[in-house]
């Protein structure tokens, strides 16, 4: 009889441990599911950010090209202005116009 009681108690202990184990497993499964969902959201956000970054990089390159073109144009204008000034200075270095009153 005592052995039967001990076996019953042991069986109840094992059933209790099994139930706790199943509860832990279910809790871990739920946590894994939540983590998987968060990972999916993060991956989607990363894809959107990469896409936006690519667009910004392309836009930045366009701006760089425009600025470089403007700089070239301004350099050409400056060079032409300097050439014009040099030609004016070399053609009439000390000529003054006499004005009579």
């Amino acid at each position: 009889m005592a052995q039967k009681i001990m076996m019953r108690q042991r069986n109840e202990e094992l059933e209790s441990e099994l139930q706790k184990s199943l509860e832990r497993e279910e809790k871990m499964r739920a946590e894994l599911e939540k983590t998987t969902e968060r990972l999916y959201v993060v991956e989607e956000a990363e894809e959107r950010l990469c896409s936006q970054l690519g667009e910004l990089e392309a836009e930045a390159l366009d701006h760089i090209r425009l600025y470089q073109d403007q700089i070239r144009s301004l350099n050409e204008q400056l060079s032409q202005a300097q050439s014009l000034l040099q030609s004016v200075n070399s053609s009439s270095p000390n000529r003054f116009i006499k004005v009579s009153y």
Side-chain angles (χ1 to χ4, degrees):
M1 188 76 159
Q3 188 177 3
K4 202 173 188 182
I5 292 173
M6 285 177 55
M7 287 180 70
R8 189 177 301 139
Q9 286 176 343
R10 180 65 182 147
N11 190 31
E12 288 173 1
E13 288 173 4
L14 290 173
E15 285 178 3
S16 175
E17 287 178 26
L18 175 61
Q19 185 61 35
K20 288 177 184 177
S21 176
L22 291 173
E23 289 171 3
R24 279 194 309 269
E25 182 181 348
E26 184 58 35
K27 183 179 178 183
M28 292 173 85
R29 185 174 283 124
E31 286 181 31
L32 177 60
E33 193 173 307
K34 286 179 185 177
T35 301
T36 302
E37 289 173 12
R38 285 195 309 260
L39 177 60
Y40 176 76
V41 169
V42 167
E43 287 175 344
E44 289 291 315
E46 179 187 22
E47 286 180 22
R48 285 192 305 274
L49 287 173
C50 287
S51 175
Q52 290 174 353
L53 179 60
E55 291 171 5
L56 288 172
E57 287 175 342
E59 188 177 325
L61 286 175
D62 287 342
H63 285 292
I64 289 170
R65 287 185 189 111
L66 287 173
Y67 291 141
Q68 286 175 336
D69 288 345
Q70 285 179 326
I71 289 171
R72 280 189 207 100
S73 175
L74 290 171
N75 277 334
E76 288 174 13
Q77 290 175 23
L78 179 61
S79 177
Q80 289 172 357
Q82 287 173 335
S83 294
L84 181 62
L85 283 174
Q86 285 177 348
S87 69
V88 167
N89 286 337
S90 66
S91 68
S92 58
N94 291 318
R95 293 187 185 167
F96 294 101
I97 300 174
K98 291 186 178 183
V99 178
S100 309
Y101 295 102

